[in-house]
Amino acid sequence: MNNKEKVPYFCIKNERSQPVEIMALKQISSNKCFEGFQKVFEHDSTELKCKMRFGIYLPPKAEIGKCPVLYWLSGLTCTEQNFITKSGFHQAAAEHGLIVVAPDTSPRGCNIEGEDESWDFGTGAGFYVDATEEPWKTNYRMYSYIKDELPKLIKANFPADSERMSIFGHSMGGHGALILALKNPGKYKSVSAFAPICNPVQCPWGKKAFGGYLGSDLTKWEAYDATHLVKSYPDSHLDILIDQGKDDQFLSAGQLLPDNFIAACTERKIPVVFRLQQGYDHSYFFIATFVNDHIRHHAKYLNA
């Protein structure tokens, strides 16, 4: 398949056995890596009403059967490219037979006034919520895109075992991974995060994003805050791994607030392994150092 060749339309059926057309995928790139393939695709998103790209790593095992899927959510300013080019996850994913999907961090090119004015709101900063406020609510629906649309797309077009999914992410994406796991008990087999924004209702990034996307109703904010969500999580069957660099400038600036999340988990008796890593910052050098640990963490549950 050449790089620009289109994947054909697929047809699945919904609960009423009516055909549902899955939008065609356009392959943007394909690179062999550890005997598998790192690909990037583009599609028209129904949730976000714009073209979206995602990276997908297909391990060698995907050629002979269905594989579990691990979703990665990136942080502020990132695209689908950051994780797939900087983290060095491919060898571990190949060895454990995991499909790894890395979507973009926001809608793009929606021509919304103000979407490109700041790096921590709008483009590249979707915060994995479904916006309720104008002018964002039509396009900025990253929560539903990650929870519903993207997994359906992956299931329809790739050898993915949709019963075996896990999720992890970094910073804003760590926040996204935690809330998706906590809001959907049983959907994901495991969750982990690098330097997640753990308590966004209490930090400057979260207040700016939630105020813009969700308005002034704080109960809407709490519905996307891991520290609040964990307090009402229905059981303890969620094994959480968090790595945090001790020299992370955003930790000292009060943007991440992991202590609040750990305290809430402890109170609810939800197991969380929190590792404060001496000398590490917020960058992909930090992620690359510990990403294999996270792949192993998820493989333990996905391949059980």
Side-chain angles (χ1 to χ4, degrees), residues 193-224:
F194 294 85
I197 302 171
C198 290
N199 196 185
V201 304
Q202 297 287 351
C203 78
W205 279 339
K207 289 175 181 177
K208 179 177 180 177
F210 287 6
Y213 296 137
L214 304 173
S216 59
D217 183 352
L218 293 184
T219 58
K220 289 183 183 176
W221 295 21
E222 291 173 358
Y224 292 105

Side-chain angles (χ1 to χ4, degrees), residues 25 38 134 140 147 180 184 269:
L25 297 179
Q38 175 62 60
E134 296 289 1
Y140 277 68
K147 180 171 94 63
L180 275 143
N184 300 280
K269 294 183 171 56

Side-chain angles (χ1 to χ4, degrees), residues 123-138:
T123 302
F127 263 86
Y128 305 103
V129 303
D130 285 349
T132 57
E133 300 300 296
E134 296 289 1
W136 312 101
K137 67 180 184 181
T138 300

Side-chain angles (χ1 to χ4, degrees), residues 264-281:
C265 287
T266 303
E267 193 176 314
R268 289 282 294 120
K269 294 183 171 56
I270 290 175
V272 54
V273 174
F274 178 78
R275 309 192 304 186
L276 192 62
Q277 303 289 8
Q278 186 75 33
Y280 287 91
D281 57 20

Side-chain angles (χ1 to χ4, degrees), residues 234-273:
D235 61 48
S236 61
H237 296 145
L238 185 65
D239 203 344
I240 304 168
L241 169 63
I242 296 175
D243 273 315
Q244 172 64 61
K246 193 173 182 182
D247 288 3
D248 187 328
Q249 68 272 37
F250 300 116
L251 177 65
S252 55
Q255 295 282 20
L256 308 177
L257 305 174
D259 291 349
N260 297 358
F261 180 70
I262 294 162
C265 287
T266 303
E267 193 176 314
R268 289 282 294 120
K269 294 183 171 56
I270 290 175
V272 54
V273 174

Side-chain angles (χ1 to χ4, degrees), residues 223-234:
Y224 292 105
D225 183 298
T227 299
H228 282 272
L229 289 167
V230 81
K231 293 173 184 175
S232 57
Y233 191 72

Side-chain angles (χ1 to χ4, degrees), residues 42 68 95 178 234 259:
E42 184 177 82
E95 289 172 358
L178 290 173
D259 291 349

